[in-house]
Amino acid sequence: MAGIDSKDIHKIIVACDAGMGSSVMLASQLKKQLKETGVTVEHTPVNSIPDDADVVVCHAGLAARARASAPGKVLVSFQIFLGDPAVTRLVNTIKNGGTVDA
């Protein structure tokens, strides 16, 4: 998948190794930041990404597993859990319009 238009993003999955801890923290932050947009944010283990996810957000170390678990989904990988530029770009693109690249 090349990317997804921001208007087509309805559900973001924050995936981590066990589906708890760090992903919960990031998912909570994204929910607050995207509250006005109507985008749903959930967290799951990387091996259990639901089919209705539009965008998957995960740590770079889990990107290969996320791609295997959710082929064809737009994947945004990051290095740091809070304040990572990739996550900031995702939020800004959803709020302001544009395309999120895979």
Side-chain angles (χ1 to χ4, degrees):
M1 175 176 262
I4 186 170
D5 192 282
S6 61
K7 70 180 182 334
D8 295 325
I9 299 173
H10 305 289
K11 187 173 192 175
I12 296 174
I13 294 297
V14 179
C16 80
D17 210 15
M20 297 182 252
S22 53
S23 66
V24 174
M25 184 173 57
L26 181 57
S28 176
Q29 179 189 35
L30 284 172
K31 282 180 191 178
K32 287 178 189 172
Q33 292 175 335
L34 297 173
K35 187 167 74 170
E36 304 298 321
T37 67
V39 173
T40 301
V41 179
E42 297 177 2
H43 68 279
T44 69
V46 71
N47 296 330
S48 302
I49 297 169
D51 290 337
D52 63 346
D54 298 309
V55 175
V56 177
V57 176
C58 73
H59 190 272
L62 297 174
R65 286 173 57 194
R67 280 191 187 91
S69 178
K73 302 293 182 187
V74 171
L75 177 68
V76 175
S77 64
F78 60 88
Q79 295 292 331
I80 54 177
F81 279 94
L82 296 177
D84 192 276
V87 176
T88 301
R89 275 192 304 276
L90 172 63
V91 170
N92 289 339
T93 301
I94 290 171
K95 287 182 173 182
N96 301 319
T99 300
V100 176
D101 295 319

